[in-house]
C-alpha cells in the first residue's frame, strides 16, 4: 500500500482517535486565547524571476514562510489554519517534541481539514537552526507535500547567545515545477543525486535560494571584514545540493542546528534534503560573487544568489572549486563513541515499480510502509542504528523527535557530530547512536518525498 493510499484509508480514523485523546488539552489551549504565532496554509503565486511565476501552496503567502524565533525552554502555542483544499499538517523538524504535536500523521498527529485551525502547543528544545514544513503525502501529485512552498526557518534561541558575528543570513534552497523523468539516462542528467533506480524520478525546471532565482532578487550586500553567519537549509523535496562561494570558505560551526565539536573551514558545502548547516564566512575577497551550486546546470536553473561587497559592481563571478568529497567526520572527534545498549540493523533497498506505479517502492528490511515492522525501545537506553544503503541512491535519513550522534561512516569511526538527518551514499553504511529519552511513537524515514511516499518509513515505539 502506498503512503497516499494509507493516508486516505487511515488518516480520518487516526486523526479522530488522536483528536479525541487530546480534546481536553486542546480545549484548554483554545480557551487560553490568542496563540503566540499564527500560520496560514494557503495558495499563492510567487515571481521567482522576471516573467517566471510559480503557483504553489505556502505559509502566509510567502516563500520561505515567516521566520519563527522561539526561546529554548519557553512554552509556545502556534495556530495553523488550513486555507487550502486538501488536508495537511505541519512538522516542527528537529525538535524534541511529543508525538501529537510533532506534526507527523504516522505518529498520531492530527491532520488539519480544509478550513480548520489546529493549535500546536509545545516547549521548544533543543536550541539551534530548526525548520518547519508540511508532512503530508504527495504520491504522484508533484504540487503537494514538500514539492510545494510549505517551509520556513524555525530558530530556537539559546538561553545565552554570544553571537560572535556581524551579520546573519538565512538561505533556503528549493526546486520548482517537478516533472516525471522516466528514463534512467535522462534521469541522471536531470537530477543532482545521480540516481541508479529502475523506475521514474523527478526532474525540475527551476531552483531558488529563498524566493528568487540566481540574479533575479536583491543581492546579499556585505562589507569587507565582516563575519557573516549563513544558515543554509535544503528545503527541496528530492534534490541534494553542493554549494560554493568562490574566493571564500565556510567555517562550519553547526549541523542541523547542533554545534560541531571540531569547526572546520571548507570550500564546498553539501546539503542533502532537510539538512541545515550554520557556517561563518569571512568577507575578505571584495567583489561581486555567485554563491551557488557547483553544477552549472543547477545554476542555470537558478540555484544561487549574488554576494555583493559595498562599493563593488559588475557581473557576478563564478569559479569552479576544487573537487572535494563531503565528510561529516572532519567536524567530529577521532575517538570512537561509547558502546550502545543494543544495535538495530536497518537495510534500505528499492524493489522497482509496483502495481503499475511510475516510481520505485522502497523497503526497510524488505518491508515497505505501512507493513514495515516497528522497533520497540526501552526508555533511557542508548541504541545504535546500523543504516545500510543497499541501493544506488543517496538517502537523507531523518529521525523524528530525537537527536542522534554519528559514530561511524564505512570503516571510519567518529563521535560528537549530532544531527537529525544524515545522508547515506549508495552502498554505504552509517552508524548513529541515540538515547530513547522522548517516549512516544517516533518516525524514521528517508526525507526525499518520492522515497517516503513509496514505502521508505518505519516507526519506533516505546515499550
Amino acid at each position: 500500500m502506498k503512503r497516499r493510499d494509507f493516508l486516505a484509508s487511515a488518516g480520518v480514523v487516526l486523526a479522530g482517535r488522536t483528536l479525541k485523546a487530546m480534546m481536553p488539552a486542546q480545549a484548554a489551549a483554545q480557551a487560553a486565547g490568542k496563540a503566540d504565532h499564527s500560520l496560514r496554509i494557503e495558495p499563492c503565486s510567487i515571481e521567482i524571476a522576471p516573467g517566471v511565476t510559480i503557483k504553489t501552496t505556502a505559509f502566509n503567502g510567502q516563500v520561505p514562510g515567516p521566520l519563527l524565533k522561539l526561546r529554548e525552554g519557553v512554552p509556545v502555542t502556534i495556530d495553523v489554519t488550513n486555507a487550502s483544499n486538501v488536508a495537511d499538517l505541519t512538522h516542527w523538524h528537529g525538535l524534541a517534541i511529543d508525538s501529537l504535536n510533532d506534526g507527523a500523521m504516522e505518529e498520531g498527529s492530527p491532520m488539519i481539514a480544509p478550513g480548520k485551525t489546529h493549535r500546536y502547543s509545545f516547549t521548544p528544545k533543543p536550541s539551534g537552526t530548526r525548520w518547519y514544513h508540511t508532512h503530508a503525502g504527495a504520491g504522484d501529485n508533484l504540487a503537494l507535500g514538500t514539492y510545494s512552498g510549505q517551509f520556513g526557518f524555525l530558530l530556537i534561541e539559546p538561553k545565552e547567545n554570544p553571537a560572535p558575528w556581524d551579520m546573519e543570513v538565512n538561505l533556503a534552497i528549493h526546486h520548482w515545477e517537478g516533472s516525471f523523468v522516466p528514463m534512467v539516462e535522462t534521469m541522471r542528467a536531470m537530477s543532482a543525486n545521480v540516481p541508479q533506480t529502475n523506475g521514474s524520478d523527478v526532474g525540475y525546471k527551476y531552483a531558488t535560494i529563498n524566493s528568487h532565482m540566481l540574479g533575479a532578487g536583491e543581492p546579499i550586500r556585505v562589507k569587507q571584514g565582516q563575519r557573516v553567519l549563513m544558515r543554509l537549509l535544503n528545503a527541496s523535496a528530492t534534490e541534494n545540493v553542493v554549494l560554493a562561494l568562490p574566493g571564500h570558505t565556510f567555517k562550519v560551526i553547526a549541523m542541523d542546528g547542533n554545534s560541531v565539536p571540531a569547526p572546520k573551514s571548507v570550500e564546498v558545502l553539501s546539503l542533502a534534503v532537510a539538512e541545515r548547516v550554520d557556517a561563518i564566512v569571512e568577507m575578505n575577497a571584495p567583489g561581486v560573487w555567485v554563491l551557488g551550486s557547483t553544477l552549472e546546470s543547477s545554476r542555470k536553473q537558478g540555484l544561487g544568489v549574488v554576494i555583493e561587497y559595498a562599493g563593488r559592481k559588475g557581473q557576478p563571478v563564478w569559479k569552479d572549486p576544487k573537487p572535494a568529497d563531503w565528510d561529516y567526520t572532519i567536524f567530529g572527534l577521532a575517538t570512537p563513541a561509547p558502546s550502545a545498549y543494543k544495535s538495530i540493523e536497518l537495510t534500505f533497498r528499492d524493489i522497482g515499480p509496483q502495481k503499475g506505479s511510475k516510481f520505485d517502492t522502497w523497503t526497510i528490511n524488505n518491508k515497505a510502509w505501512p507493513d514495515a515492522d516497528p522497533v520497540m525501545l526501552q526508555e533511557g537506553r542508548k541504541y545504535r542504528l546500523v543504516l545500510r544503503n543497499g541501493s544506488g541512491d543517496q538517502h537523507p535519513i531523518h529521525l523524528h523527535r530525537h537527536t542522534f550522534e554519528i559514530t561511524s561512516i564505512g570503516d571510519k569511526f567518529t563521535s560528537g557530530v549530532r544531527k537529525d538527518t544524515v545522508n547515506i551514499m549508495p552502498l554505504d553504511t552509517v552508524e548513529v547512536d541515540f538515547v530513547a529519552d522522548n517516549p512516544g511513537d517516533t518516525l524514521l524515514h528517508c526525507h526525499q518525498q518520492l522515497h517516503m511516499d513509496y514505502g521508505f518509513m518505519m516507526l519506533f515505539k516505546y515499550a
Side-chain angles (χ1 to χ4, degrees), residues 107 399-402 438 440-444 458-460 462:
E107 297 173 348
L399 179 64
H400 282 232
R401 307 177 54 251
H402 299 75
N438 192 12
D441 286 359
T442 300
L443 189 65
L444 178 139
M458 66 171 294
L459 278 176
F460 291 94
Y462 280 73

Side-chain angles (χ1 to χ4, degrees), residues 53-67:
T53 297
I54 300 293
K55 293 183 178 181
T56 187
T57 304
F59 290 103
N60 295 17
Q62 66 183 72
V63 176
L67 170 64

Side-chain angles (χ1 to χ4, degrees), residues 121-181:
S121 303
F122 55 88
T123 299
K125 63 177 183 178
S127 63
T129 304
R130 316 296 166 186
W131 65 302
Y132 62 95
H133 59 86
T134 176
H135 210 278
D140 59 3
N141 187 336
L142 304 186
L144 299 178
T146 53
Y147 299 110
S148 74
Q150 295 179 71
F151 60 87
F153 279 94
L154 175 65
L155 304 184
I156 311 302
E157 298 179 316
K159 297 172 183 178
E160 297 181 5
N161 187 4
W165 45 80
D166 305 307
M167 176 180 172
E168 299 181 10
V169 181
N170 300 324
L171 303 172
I173 296 155
H174 196 68
H175 291 76
W176 302 97
E177 293 201 1
S179 60
F180 300 123
V181 186

Side-chain angles (χ1 to χ4, degrees), residues 72-84:
E72 183 181 21
V74 178
V76 66
T77 54
I78 303 174
D79 279 351
V80 178
T81 298
N82 185 3
S84 75

Side-chain angles (χ1 to χ4, degrees), residues 271-301:
L271 288 98
V273 173
E275 287 189 309
R276 289 88 66 210
V277 168
D278 291 7
I280 292 178
V281 180
E282 302 272 358
M283 292 300 165
N284 52 18
V288 182
W289 303 96
V290 172
L291 165 59
S293 171
T294 58
L295 295 178
E296 182 180 7
S297 58
S298 293
R299 295 196 303 278
K300 287 181 177 179
Q301 286 181 324

